[in-house]
Amino acid sequence: MNMTERSGNEAVFMGAAEKLVSGCHMTRQDFTELLSGYGDLRITEYLAQEAVRVRRQYYGTKVFTRGLIEFTNYCKNNCHYCGIRGGNRNAVRYRLTREEILECCQEGYKLGFRTFVLQGGEDPFYTDEKMADIVREIKSTFPDCALTLSIGEKSYESYRLLREAGADRYLLRHETADEAHYRLLHPEPMSLSVRKQCLYDLKALGYQVGAGMMVGSPGQTWETLAEDLMFLQKLQPQMVGMGPFIPHHDTCFAGERAGSVELTLYLLSIVRLLLPRVLLPATTALGTMDPRGREKGLAVGANVVMPNLSPIKNRKNYDLYDNKICTGDEAAECRMCLERRVASVGYELVTERGDYLWQET
C-alpha cells in the first residue's frame, strides 16, 4: 500500500470513529470501517480518550464491584469452546448448597460488596422454584444489595418468576450475532434466534440486561464483529461483557489461538461510546491474558470488576478456559489489592450497588 492509499484509508477510519463519538446511528459499513482501523495508533488513542471522557461524564471515577458466586459447573449444553460443557467427562463437577451460597453472600457483604452475581452452567438440578427460593432469601437477607443471575436460556415465564422473586439483573452473553459463526461455536439444537429472544424477554420484564461476546473466537472476522456491534446497538443492553477467547484443552478448539487483549481493549472503547451509560466490566479473561489486563480495561472505558466470592475449594473447577485466574488478588478476600490496582489507573473502588443510569445526569 502506498502512502496515498494509507492516508485515504485513515480518513475513512477516522470518519467512522468521529461518527461513533458524535452519537450518530452506525451502519454495518460504519462498524466494519471502524474495526478495520484497528492497529492505527491515532484512532486507537482517540477512541480510548473519548471513551474515558464519556465514562467519567456518567460515572466519574467510580469502579463498581460485583461479587461473583460460581455456584454450579454442571451444564446441559455442549458449547464447543467451554470447559464445563456437558460432554466434558474430565470436568470435576460441583454444586453449592443454598446455605453455601448464602455464606458466600455473607462474606461478600462484610467485604463491602453490594451486588452479587450467581453464575452457573445450565443445570437442571436448580429448578425455577429452587432458584426463586434462593433469590428471595438473598434479597430478604441483604435488602440493600442487587442480585444478578447468569444461568442461561430460560422461558419467559421462568424469567418472570425469578424477576418477581427479586432478581435485578441478568447476564446472557450472546457470544456472536452472526448465524454462521454461531453454528461454528455451538451444537444443535442451540439457536441464535432463541438466544436473542431470551435477551429481549429479559428486557421486557424490566431486568438490567447484559449481553456480550468473545473476542477472537474461532471463525470471527471484522464482519462478524460488526454484526455484534449492530446487535448491541439495536438491543441497547445495560451491561456488556467482553473478554478475549481463551482455548480450553478439553474442547475441539484446544489448538486455536487465543484472542487479543489489544483488540478487546479497542472494542471496550467502542462499546463505551456506542452505549455511553453501559456497565462495562474489565473481565477475568482480560486479567488471565495480561497481568494488568483489568487495569488496562478500566483505562479505556470499563467501570466494573467482578472478584470471585466462590468457595476457594471450588474456584479451580469452574474451568471455562485454561489458566483462569482464581486465587491471589482475584480472590475477594484481597480487596485491598484490588483497590490498589484500581487506584493505579486513577479510579476508586466503591461500595455501591452500581446500578445502570436510566436517566442522563
Side-chain angles (χ1 to χ4, degrees):
M1 178 183 294
N2 63 39
M3 188 58 68
T4 302
E5 289 173 329
R6 180 61 182 169
S7 298
N9 284 333
E10 284 179 352
V12 170
F13 303 155
M14 185 57 76
E18 289 173 346
K19 185 174 180 180
L20 176 69
V21 169
S22 68
C24 294
H25 180 83
M26 299 284 284
T27 65
R28 186 174 286 98
Q29 181 178 343
D30 291 331
F31 283 130
T32 302
E33 291 171 352
L34 186 62
L35 291 164
S36 298
Y38 169 66
D40 185 308
L41 186 60
R42 188 166 68 100
I43 294 172
T44 300
E45 290 180 347
Y46 171 63
L47 290 176
Q49 290 168 2
E50 289 298 311
V52 168
R53 177 186 63 78
V54 169
R55 176 246 195 278
R56 286 177 177 261
Q57 176 184 342
Y58 291 103
Y59 293 105
T61 60
K62 294 178 179 179
V63 172
F64 304 117
T65 56
R66 281 48 171 128
L68 182 61
I69 304 169
E70 297 163 332
F71 69 100
T72 175
N73 71 346
Y74 284 85
C75 190
K76 68 180 184 181
N77 294 328
N78 223 357
C79 302
H80 299 320
Y81 50 82
C82 184
I84 65 168
R85 61 194 180 88
N88 182 7
R89 296 182 179 180
N90 295 322
V92 179
R93 305 292 179 177
Y94 74 90
R95 294 183 176 108
L96 300 188
T97 65
R98 179 173 173 273
E99 290 69 31
E100 286 174 319
I101 293 170
L102 288 165
E103 286 172 9
C104 292
C105 294
Q106 191 68 57
E107 285 302 307
Y109 194 86
K110 291 176 184 176
L111 288 163
F113 290 89
R114 295 299 179 266
T115 288
F116 304 119
V117 181
L118 294 187
Q119 184 176 83
E122 293 194 21
D123 183 354
F125 173 82
Y126 292 95
T127 63
D128 292 344
E129 291 71 23
K130 285 180 180 177
M131 286 306 305
D133 179 62
I134 291 169
V135 168
R136 280 190 289 268
E137 185 68 21
I138 291 173
K139 292 293 289 186
S140 64
T141 306
F142 309 99
D144 55 333
C145 294
L147 180 60
T148 303
L149 298 178
S150 182
I151 51 177
E153 297 174 1
K154 291 183 175 292
S155 69
Y156 183 93
E157 284 306 309
S158 295
Y159 288 145
R160 183 183 60 78
L161 178 66
L162 296 170
R163 180 78 176 118
E164 291 175 352
D168 303 285
R169 307 172 187 152
Y170 204 103
L171 299 176
L172 185 67
R173 298 206 319 185
H174 66 279
E175 303 300 2
T176 177
D178 180 87
E179 180 64 43
H181 191 210
Y182 186 90
R183 287 270 57 87
L184 177 66
L185 300 177
H186 301 88
E188 298 288 354
M190 295 185 72
S191 161
L192 177 58
S193 62
V194 169
R195 195 75 160 185
K196 288 181 175 180
Q197 187 59 53
C198 285
L199 286 162
Y200 287 116
D201 287 347
L202 289 161
K203 286 203 75 175
L205 286 162
Y207 285 91
Q208 294 177 48
V209 176
M213 60 278 196
M214 292 180 292
V215 179
S217 59
Q220 191 174 71
T221 64
W222 292 143
E223 288 73 22
T224 61
L225 276 172
E227 196 66 36
D228 287 319
L229 294 171
M230 288 290 290
F231 177 63
L232 292 176
Q233 180 175 244
K234 180 181 179 182
L235 179 67
Q236 292 289 306
Q238 288 74 47
M239 305 173 284
V240 174
M242 290 187 299
F245 163 75
I246 304 174
H248 187 282
H249 61 278
D250 280 328
T251 70
C252 61
F253 294 141
E256 297 287 339
R257 179 181 299 180
S260 162
V261 169
E262 290 71 24
L263 179 56
T264 303
L265 298 174
Y266 189 68
L267 284 161
L268 285 171
S269 294
I270 289 173
V271 170
R272 169 59 65 199
L273 292 164
L274 180 66
L275 305 167
R277 287 171 283 162
V278 73
L279 295 164
L280 192 60
T283 59
T284 300
L286 266 178
T288 298
M289 290 286 292
D290 184 324
R292 286 185 57 80
R294 286 169 295 180
E295 291 94 318
K296 291 177 180 179
L298 295 173
V300 297
N303 65 334
V304 171
V305 290
M306 297 176 66
N308 204 326
L309 284 174
S310 307
I312 292 173
K313 64 183 174 68
N314 299 122
R315 288 179 191 168
K316 290 183 184 291
N317 293 328
Y318 200 81
D319 191 25
L320 303 180
Y321 47 79
D322 285 348
N323 303 313
K324 179 186 170 190
I325 52 173
C326 56
T327 58
D329 59 23
E330 169 64 10
E333 292 85 348
C334 197
R335 187 181 175 90
M336 291 292 290
C337 300
L338 194 56
E339 287 178 353
R340 288 195 295 270
R341 283 177 171 267
V342 169
S344 74
V345 286
Y347 294 106
E348 175 191 8
L349 203 66
V350 296
T351 55
E352 299 178 17
R353 280 172 49 121
D355 286 298
Y356 178 78
L357 295 177
W358 294 99
Q359 299 296 325
E360 295 192 21
T361 57

